Amino acid sequence: GSALEGLLVGLSGVAKQAEEELGVGADQDQLVSHSVRVNVFSSIEFLLKYSPSLRELVKSGNVEIQGGIYHLETGRVEFLGRSPRQAELLRSDPSLPPSLQALPIRTTTDGPLPSKEALKLLKEGNARFTSGAAISGKITPAMRKALVKEGQAPHTAII
């Protein structure tokens, strides 16, 4: 497994959505073309869902996020516009990306982490990244409040 494989696994949901939207009669070219469009909107939706700073800029009208497809054969960009789900996503509660949801939450009230434990956490995270393994879990409201109130305290700084 590799990081690339992990990214490609993430595209399987995009391909499945495209296939469901087009139905069983679609040929391979139609499926690939529609998958690209679905992926563009999926990327926009990821940003709107998980980036608090971008969400606020879009809500305030200071930034617009528009999708587009660059066609290599012509050099032209096909603009797709906003995500059809933009308004819904901006109304939703912000959340952490799936890759961060199961990570240990450390605040400034936590004491120093022993070096062996910090190294273990780094190695585990690196193994997950290089194998493309998904991380599942959930950050509770209490964890979020602790981060806001106490501040985040990363367990390791690499110099």
Side-chain angles (χ1 to χ4, degrees):
S2 69
L4 177 59
E5 287 175 18
L7 293 172
L8 293 175
V9 167
L11 289 175
S12 64
V14 167
K16 182 178 179 183
Q17 180 182 340
E19 184 178 43
E20 289 171 357
E21 289 177 3
L22 290 178
V24 294
D27 64 32
Q28 185 175 352
D29 288 341
Q30 291 171 319
L31 182 59
V32 168
S33 177
H34 192 60
S35 292
V36 169
R37 292 174 188 285
V38 170
N39 189 52
V40 167
F41 288 122
S42 178
S43 298
I44 292 171
E45 291 161 8
F46 184 92
L47 292 171
L48 290 172
K49 188 171 183 180
Y50 298 119
S51 175
S53 55
L54 275 176
R55 287 170 66 100
E56 289 309 312
L57 288 168
V58 172
K59 281 182 181 180
S60 70
N62 290 321
V63 167
E64 284 190 27
I65 300 177
Q66 304 271 334
I69 300 170
Y70 177 73
H71 294 277
L72 291 172
E73 64 279 359
T74 64
R76 295 191 180 266
V77 176
E78 176 185 356
F79 290 98
L80 304 177
R82 297 177 180 168
S83 163
R85 296 185 55 220
Q86 178 172 305
E88 168 195 342
L89 289 166
L90 292 176
R91 285 190 306 270
S92 70
D93 291 330
S95 56
L96 290 174
S99 62
L100 297 178
Q101 290 181 2
L103 297 177
I105 298 297
R106 293 184 46 78
T107 70
T108 55
T109 61
D110 293 317
L113 192 65
S115 59
K116 286 184 179 182
E117 191 175 339
L119 182 59
K120 179 179 178 262
L121 288 173
L122 288 170
K123 286 181 176 181
E124 289 170 353
N126 189 55
R128 284 191 305 270
F129 177 79
T130 58
S131 70
I135 297 175
S136 61
K138 185 172 176 127
I139 300 297
T140 66
M143 290 173 171
R144 285 193 181 120
K145 284 180 186 176
L147 287 174
V148 169
K149 182 179 177 192
E150 305 298 336
Q152 185 178 6
H155 63 75
T156 308
I158 300 174
I159 300 173

